[in-house]
């Protein structure tokens, strides 16, 4: 009964009812036990949340819908495949490509990071690399680090078919090797290690990856660490 009421609130056009239902949903998911989630259908819920993330009607609705997807991932084991299946990734990426509300974009990025832990390939194929890096500098440092961890996840299983989804981001990633933040540098190094391991049989792709300052920047990084040790 309770979940049915929430779903009805999410389906309706009444903004205040949507916000109320989303708040109640987030609270329920946040404190969830397996027993308390009996009766919740992710098949009914996730398409609604994906639609609400896309809605431009109200920042609070978008924010809470992004957050609810993250809570679904945390509290319902095995739900990540359903999050992908019901189309949650593209609207989250869209929120990073045109930032109207920084808090919505931050939550979208945090949610994408959670999805990328199990479904990095799907995030990459939805344009996740470009989306995450588009306005990375606008975010607080902790969120930038999460963004770079998401990028490193997306570099896990890049193939010659999907390398085109990474190629445009290589100059920015190469420059980020010289970031002043050690955690960001670690994530960038992980990303490049994974890329080169994935593509080691493809010389032309490796040359393209190295063509934007990767090697000189890596040398600078190494010489800095030698001189400081």
């Amino acid at each position: 009964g309770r979940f049915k009421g929430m779903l009805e609130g999410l389906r309706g056009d009444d903004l205040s009812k949507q916000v109320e239902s989303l708040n109640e949903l987030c609270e329920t998911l946040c404190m969830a036990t397996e027993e308390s989630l009996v009766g919740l259908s992710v098949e009914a819920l996730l398409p609604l949340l994906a639609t609400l993330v896309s809605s431009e009607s109200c920042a609070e609705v978008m924010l809470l819908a992004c957050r609810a997807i993250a809570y679904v991932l945390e509290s319902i084991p095995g739900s990540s495949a359903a999050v992908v299946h019901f189309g949650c990734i593209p609207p989250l990426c869209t929120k990073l490509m045109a930032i109207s509300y920084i808090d919505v974009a931050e939550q979208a990025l945090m949610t994408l990071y959670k999805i990328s832990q199990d479904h990095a390939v799907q995030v990459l194929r939805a344009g996740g690399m470009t989306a995450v890096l588009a306005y990375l500098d606008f975010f607080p440092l902790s969120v930038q680090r999460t963004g770079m961890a998401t990028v490193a996840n997306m570099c896990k299983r890049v193939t010659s078919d999907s390398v085109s989804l990474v190629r445009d981001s290589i100059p920015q990633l190469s420059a980020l090797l010289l970031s002043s933040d050690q955690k960001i540098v670690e994530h960038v190094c992980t990303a490049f290690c994974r890329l080169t391991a994935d593509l080691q049989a493809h010389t032309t792709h490796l040359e393209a990856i190295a063509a934007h300052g990767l090697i000189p920047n890596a040398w600078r990084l190494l010489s800095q660490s030698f001189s400081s040790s």
Side-chain angles (χ1 to χ4, degrees):
R2 185 172 47 138
F3 289 120
K4 194 177 174 205
M6 285 184 215
L7 291 173
E8 279 169 13
L10 299 181
R11 279 193 196 100
D13 295 329
D14 183 337
L15 271 183
S16 62
K17 193 81 184 127
Q18 284 180 348
V19 170
E20 186 187 320
S21 299
L22 283 165
N23 270 316
E24 193 183 346
L25 176 67
C26 286
E27 215 169 284
T28 305
L29 289 168
C30 192
M31 323 269 275
T33 61
E34 273 189 52
E35 297 78 56
S36 70
L37 293 177
V38 170
L40 176 62
S41 158
V42 289
E43 292 82 2
L45 175 63
L46 288 170
L48 290 171
L49 292 178
T51 302
L52 291 172
V53 171
S54 304
S55 75
E56 293 294 328
S57 51
C58 168
E60 195 176 1
V61 165
M62 293 186 280
L63 176 67
L64 289 169
C66 291
R67 191 173 292 158
I69 295 168
Y71 285 152
V72 166
L73 289 163
E74 281 171 23
S75 50
I76 303 175
S79 60
S80 60
V83 166
V84 175
H85 177 73
F86 289 108
C88 294
I89 297 174
L92 291 167
C93 289
T94 302
K95 288 288 161 266
L96 296 175
M97 294 300 290
I99 297 181
S100 311
Y101 305 97
I102 193 74
D103 53 348
V104 174
E106 279 181 28
Q107 183 60 61
L109 181 49
M110 302 305 230
T111 306
L112 278 174
Y113 167 67
K114 287 185 189 302
I115 299 170
S116 77
Q117 290 173 306
D118 291 327
H119 298 281
V121 173
Q122 287 86 345
V123 177
L124 179 64
R125 289 194 182 281
M129 183 77 72
T130 308
V132 168
L133 291 172
Y135 294 102
L136 196 70
D137 297 352
F138 282 71
F139 295 115
L141 186 57
S142 61
V143 182
Q144 289 186 37
R145 289 170 173 171
T146 303
M148 290 315 302
T150 311
V151 166
N153 285 345
M154 283 187 269
C155 291
K156 263 181 198 160
R157 285 195 296 280
V158 174
T159 63
S160 56
D161 291 336
S162 59
V163 71
S164 59
L165 298 166
V166 177
R167 196 177 290 126
D168 289 348
S169 302
I170 296 297
Q172 190 177 353
L173 291 177
S174 301
L176 281 166
L177 273 174
L178 301 178
S179 164
S180 56
D181 183 70
Q182 193 177 349
K183 209 77 196 140
I184 286 177
V185 172
E186 277 176 31
H187 290 313
V188 178
C189 289
T190 301
F192 276 120
C193 287
R194 286 172 173 169
L195 275 177
T196 50
D198 289 341
L199 299 165
Q200 57 186 329
H202 303 276
T203 315
T204 49
H205 292 323
L206 291 178
E207 285 170 357
I209 288 166
H212 300 279
L214 169 61
I215 293 167
N217 286 358
W219 273 117
R220 277 177 70 181
L221 191 59
L222 281 169
S223 58
Q224 282 166 14
S225 61
F226 285 140
S227 61
S228 63
S229 58

